Amino acid sequence: MHFTSDFNRDSLPFLDVELSRWTDGSLETKIYRKPTATNSFLNWSSHHPIPLKKGIPVGQYLRIRRNCTDERTFRIQARDLRQRFREKGYPDAVLRRAFKRACESNRTDLLHPNDKKDLKSGEIRLVGNFDVAAREVRDILAKHWDILRMDSDINKVISEIPQITYRRGRNIKDQIVRSHFTESNTSNWLQGLKGFFRCGRCIFCRYMSQGRQFKSSSWDKTYQIKQFINCQSKGVIYKVTCSCQMEYVGMTTHELRKRVGEHLGAIRHKRMTSLAQHINNIHGGDLSGLQFMGIDLICPPKRGGLSQTLRKKKEALKKLSNNNDIVIRSADKGGGIVIQNKDDYIKEAHRILKDKSYYEPLPYNPLAEDINELRTQS
């Protein structure tokens, strides 16, 4: 970071305004531009809305009108501004209209903020991407807007004319530039391997229990491990089992072996943690029956943080999927998810199947003949 200082007895730049003192003691203000300032106005040939490009000269001329106390200084800086707009291809007609509007504006009024127009409370605006179809969408809305206003309820939340707010669409830069580092996906023989394994290079491997599945004593179910996990993995949900078959489940954002070392240290130094208290009080500090196993991975967000939120989401989803009292299915339309009581789901299925206007019970299984025919042909 580089700091500069400027000393002058008669003028002082502050942000984009330069304050000058005349010999009679009066003050003058005008626009200040750094010597290194460049012409960064939007090019007229840019694919932006025409009203937006026309509004840029208007705003810049009004800015000069507001900040210049002297009329002569205003016209000198307006001439310089016109030249910079011409370099960017702005038509003279657009610049003349903007300059005329600034000349006709009262500087005293420009020094005060404009009162915002009264808008309906909760007024709805259409938000869309600015692209080649934006004008067509606007024309369709304008053509049929009166139909929407005929509805008494809708008319309360819409304006007299369509209010459209455009956001910038994705450009080439958005598609090829990433704001965060993306790791290259290099193939190796471990990609298809799933389960928990020892790394074979750390002193904690002897406390690790290898396997491709694990059994939960709480649910009395066996689950498959769906990722490759070892002692060096980060963001691990792990299970600790002692010789009495009691289980402890924890989560760490660091390497699993580092967390195991912290647990063992807490047991040896008799710290007041739940696992250390259990091993010391029940097993007398014996570590021989202690086994650690990684059961799931939580991939941290690319921008960091939220690991606890992701863990809670995984826990909630797993609890829902293991609930035998409900049925979770995809909705027929809309791509949503439907959660329904299992008894109600079965009852509704029977009701639909008993509707003879849509379904008719058959006296025999028609698939049996097709199966026999296929077996004969094969």
Side-chain angles (χ1 to χ4, degrees):
M1 185 178 294
H2 182 64
F3 293 93
T4 60
S5 59
D6 189 9
F7 299 91
N8 197 306
R9 296 180 60 87
D10 299 320
S11 64
L12 176 67
F14 179 73
L15 299 179
D16 64 338
V17 177
E18 182 178 341
L19 291 86
S20 302
R21 182 178 61 179
W22 293 100
T23 55
D24 59 356
S26 61
L27 295 177
E28 179 194 16
T29 60
K30 61 181 180 181
I31 294 293
Y32 172 74
R33 295 187 74 235
K34 292 182 177 180
T36 57
T38 58
N39 189 0
S40 58
F41 288 135
L42 180 70
N43 200 298
W44 181 262
S45 62
S46 176
H47 187 65
H48 281 74
I50 296 296
L52 184 148
K53 292 189 286 188
K54 289 182 177 180
I56 294 175
V58 173
Q60 292 298 317
Y61 276 112
L62 289 176
R63 171 171 166 261
I64 295 177
R65 182 64 172 171
R66 179 178 61 251
N67 291 341
C68 291
T69 55
D70 184 65
E71 182 70 21
R72 181 173 172 273
T73 305
F74 161 68
R75 294 187 178 275
I76 292 174
Q77 294 202 334
R79 195 179 304 119
D80 175 66
L81 180 65
R82 182 183 183 185
Q83 181 60 32
R84 286 189 282 131
F85 274 121
R86 278 181 168 178
E87 292 175 0
K88 292 295 182 177
Y90 282 73
D92 286 340
V94 173
L95 300 179
R96 282 196 299 269
R97 281 194 296 268
F99 178 69
K100 181 180 179 181
R101 178 173 171 180
C103 292
E104 294 174 350
S105 300
N106 190 331
R107 183 173 179 271
T108 305
D109 296 335
L110 295 176
L111 292 173
H112 299 283
N114 293 331
D115 296 331
K116 293 183 178 180
K117 297 179 180 179
D118 294 333
L119 299 176
K120 294 182 180 178
S121 178
E123 187 177 89
I124 295 177
R125 298 180 66 90
L126 175 67
V127 180
N129 292 335
F130 182 77
D131 51 25
V132 292
R135 180 173 295 181
E136 185 178 354
V137 172
R138 183 194 63 191
D139 294 342
I140 293 173
L141 283 173
K143 180 179 179 180
H144 302 288
W145 197 251
D146 291 336
I147 299 176
L148 292 176
R149 296 195 63 201
M150 292 172 62
D151 188 284
S152 57
D153 294 328
I154 296 179
N155 189 45
K156 295 177 182 178
V157 295
I158 62 175
S159 57
E160 295 181 0
I161 59 175
Q163 299 292 330
I164 307 176
T165 300
Y166 293 111
R167 59 171 171 254
R168 181 177 64 81
R170 285 177 58 83
N171 54 26
I172 297 177
K173 175 185 174 182
D174 296 330
Q175 299 179 39
I176 63 176
V177 176
R178 297 290 182 269
S179 60
H180 51 263
F181 175 73
T182 303
E183 295 182 1
S184 59
N185 294 324
T186 55
S187 60
N188 55 64
W189 64 275
L190 290 175
Q191 282 187 339
L193 194 60
K194 297 178 181 179
F196 178 71
F197 305 92
R198 301 187 182 100
C199 69
R201 295 190 297 271
C202 70
I203 60 175
F204 303 110
C205 281
R206 58 186 177 136
Y207 296 104
M208 304 296 182
S209 175
Q210 297 188 123
R212 297 176 183 268
Q213 59 186 18
F214 68 95
K215 186 175 182 180
S216 170
S217 60
S218 301
W219 297 97
D220 195 24
K221 286 186 177 181
T222 300
Y223 299 94
Q224 299 294 325
I225 300 176
K226 299 181 180 180
Q227 298 96 354
F228 173 80
I229 310 172
N230 67 4
C231 310
Q232 301 179 20
S233 299
K234 296 182 179 180
V236 180
I237 297 176
Y238 60 92
K239 180 172 71 79
V240 186
T241 308
C242 71
S243 56
C244 66
Q245 301 305 311
M246 288 292 291
E247 293 179 345
Y248 169 91
V249 178
M251 182 261 182
T252 178
T253 57
H254 303 293
E255 289 186 355
L256 179 58
R257 59 183 179 181
K258 183 178 180 180
R259 184 59 178 149
V260 172
E262 292 173 352
H263 279 301
L264 298 179
I267 295 171
R268 292 191 181 100
H269 295 89
K270 299 183 178 181
R271 297 193 180 109
M272 299 299 290
T273 63
S274 55
L275 181 60
Q277 285 183 314
H278 174 79
I279 298 298
N280 287 320
N281 296 337
I282 306 300
H283 303 283
D286 183 16
L287 301 176
S288 60
L290 205 60
Q291 291 292 316
F292 292 81
M293 187 178 195
I295 58 177
D296 201 359
L297 280 179
I298 294 182
C299 297
K302 293 180 179 179
R303 299 185 185 275
L306 298 179
S307 58
Q308 295 296 329
T309 304
L310 291 173
R311 179 179 62 81
K312 291 178 180 178
K313 284 183 178 180
K314 279 205 169 188
E315 289 177 357
L317 291 173
K318 188 168 289 186
K319 188 177 292 185
L320 277 176
S321 62
N322 291 328
N323 192 338
N324 294 322
D325 297 328
I326 60 175
V327 176
I328 305 174
R329 292 288 184 271
S330 299
D332 294 337
K333 296 179 180 179
I337 297 176
V338 177
I339 301 177
Q340 190 175 6
N341 183 282
K342 188 174 183 179
D343 294 335
D344 295 338
Y345 178 82
I346 295 175
K347 188 183 298 183
E348 180 66 13
H350 284 298
R351 185 192 68 78
I352 294 174
L353 292 174
K354 290 179 181 178
D355 188 353
K356 294 186 177 180
S357 59
Y358 294 99
Y359 300 96
E360 181 180 353
L362 298 176
Y364 64 96
N365 184 3
L367 293 177
E369 296 179 358
D370 297 333
I371 292 173
N372 292 332
E373 184 176 352
L374 289 171
R375 286 175 177 172
T376 303
Q377 292 177 358
S378 61

